[in-house]
Amino acid sequence: MAPGALLPDPEPEYVTFHAAKGKLSRPVLKGEAKKQTFETIPQVDFAKMRSDSIKDRKAVALEVGEAFRNVGFLYATNHGISEDLQARTFKVAKEFFALPTEEKMKIHLNKSPAIKGYERLLETRLDDTTRGDNKEAVNIGDDPYDPDHRCPEDFDTSYYPSKSDCTAGLTNQWPANPVEFRATMNEYRSAVSDFAKRLLSIIALSLDLPENYFDYMTRFPMAGLRPLHYPPQEVPSDVGIGAHADYSWFTLVWQMTSTPGLEVLNHNGCWVAAPPVPNTLVVNVTDRPKKYVDVNAGAWQRERLYRARYKHPASIAARERGEI
């Protein structure tokens, strides 16, 4: 290159992640292109969201609104889920994942038309440059046929598989062992749902809306629960789960303190650590002006499930029909 010649601009770098419609990417901003953005995840104390004082509830809403608009993530403290329940939930999850594979496969998700049940290690794959997600999970969802889920009698269940198509007449599949697995998971689900409903009220306040503005959405909401087990990664190229964007109103993540924890993407395309903090939930949210056409939430969720669970019979059939 001749003296004084301008150096060519470097090739831009991108971070790629998985979303419901496939791969998306975000540029890694450097130099003058960098934006002011977050480097840590804020904590919000939710103790006063149960206060009788609207002033207290609005104070929580102010913090939540600021965290969601500027970061999109927060640590929720004093969320109301007891440490005893958390301990019992962790105990039954650990006991289930320690079972022999053939025992866990009795509730394999391929047996479920609703894609509920056990996922093996490497069975899902969000990043197609890897051999799969190095995790195992139990997919548990809203179940109109389960008395513990208290589905309203007049609720339209046409979106769900018929009761006769479900194992034991339930949308979810439950293991025989540990014997308290189903009861404990449903108890935990109920507690998390209570926090989620209160969080919706706080979000409404943060948007200067009436507290009950979103109540109609919580009559029998789509709410998934997924106990996850991430084993030690012995293959350097492995990932616990590929980089992804969630596809719901918000996600609540309870992290065990023995794990490295989440990493989240900031506005410069850089990863920010969200390590486990005892007795907190990590909350991430979608909060921005409308950008896309209206979609059916159930169909959107199903497409996302099909893309990641590419070996499920329903996913294979959807690809053959050209739906994903």
Side-chain angles (χ1 to χ4, degrees):
M1 182 177 292
L6 295 175
L7 293 173
D9 291 334
E11 287 293 321
E13 295 180 38
Y14 291 90
V15 177
T16 301
F17 54 93
H18 177 83
K21 292 294 184 181
K23 289 183 181 179
L24 294 176
S25 60
R26 179 178 293 176
V28 179
L29 303 181
K30 299 179 180 180
E32 293 182 356
K34 290 182 70 173
K35 303 176 181 179
Q36 273 200 322
T37 186
F38 65 94
E39 300 295 337
T40 59
I41 309 301
Q43 286 194 18
V44 175
D45 186 343
F46 281 86
K48 291 185 178 180
M49 75 174 177
R50 296 174 179 81
S51 170
D52 293 333
S53 166
I54 184 64
K55 182 179 178 181
D56 287 344
R57 300 196 299 275
K58 284 186 174 180
V60 178
L62 184 66
E63 290 189 60
V64 168
E66 183 176 347
F68 283 166
R69 289 185 180 95
N70 298 331
V71 180
F73 292 83
L74 60 82
Y75 286 103
T77 66
N78 290 313
H79 42 65
I81 303 169
S82 74
E83 292 187 55
D84 171 71
L85 177 54
Q86 292 178 62
R88 289 188 286 112
T89 303
F90 174 71
K91 177 178 179 292
V92 296
K94 183 177 180 179
E95 289 174 356
F96 173 80
F97 289 125
L99 292 173
T101 299
E102 58 269 23
E103 185 67 21
K104 292 182 284 191
M105 288 295 288
K106 290 179 180 179
I107 61 164
H108 188 248
L109 56 78
N110 279 11
K111 300 177 181 179
S112 163
I115 323 181
K116 300 296 183 286
Y118 172 65
E119 290 179 353
R120 294 176 294 179
L121 292 170
L122 307 176
E123 186 160 34
T124 61
R125 186 175 63 195
L126 292 183
D127 183 345
D128 57 15
T129 66
T130 69
R131 62 186 186 132
D133 299 328
N134 191 22
K135 64 168 176 57
E136 54 182 342
V138 182
N139 291 337
I140 302 166
D142 38 292
D143 191 339
Y145 312 123
D146 190 331
D148 287 345
H149 289 201
R150 300 188 297 277
C151 181
E153 290 185 4
D154 61 343
F155 189 77
D156 179 9
T157 60
S158 60
Y159 176 77
Y160 296 85
S162 67
K163 191 171 186 177
S164 60
D165 290 337
C166 296
T167 305
L170 295 169
T171 299
N172 290 313
Q173 296 189 89
W174 297 104
N177 291 298
V179 294
E180 65 273 27
F181 187 92
R182 175 180 170 183
T184 304
M185 287 297 166
N186 275 341
E187 184 182 354
Y188 182 77
R189 180 184 182 279
S190 178
V192 175
S193 295
D194 178 69
F195 172 74
K197 290 176 182 179
R198 292 177 184 272
L199 177 56
L200 275 177
S201 296
I202 293 296
I203 290 174
L205 285 178
S206 76
L207 297 170
D208 295 323
L209 297 170
E211 282 183 281
N212 63 354
Y213 187 83
F214 299 115
D215 282 4
Y216 74 98
M217 300 174 65
T218 65
R219 190 162 177 258
F220 192 66
M222 283 194 308
L225 174 65
R226 297 184 71 213
L228 294 160
H229 171 225
Y230 295 93
Q233 295 180 13
E234 298 174 354
V235 178
S237 60
D238 274 352
V239 295
I241 184 170
H244 61 280
D246 283 336
Y247 51 96
S248 55
W249 251 83
F250 47 76
T251 303
L252 309 174
V253 182
W254 169 33
Q255 302 185 99
M256 295 305 299
T257 54
S258 58
T259 61
L262 298 171
E263 288 186 317
V264 303
L265 202 59
N266 70 15
H267 302 102
N268 288 324
C270 298
W271 293 105
V272 175
V277 175
N279 202 26
T280 68
L281 296 171
V282 177
V283 185
N284 74 286
V285 73
T286 300
D287 184 6
R288 59 174 61 190
K290 179 178 177 179
K291 292 178 62 178
Y292 306 104
V293 297
D294 292 342
V295 297
N296 177 282
W300 178 264
Q301 183 187 60
R302 184 167 52 199
E303 182 175 344
R304 171 64 177 266
L305 292 174
Y306 284 174
R307 285 187 181 277
R309 290 148 191 85
Y310 60 101
K311 296 180 181 179
H312 193 281
S315 177
I316 295 170
R319 285 199 302 276
E320 290 175 348
R321 294 192 299 267
E323 295 176 359
I324 59 172

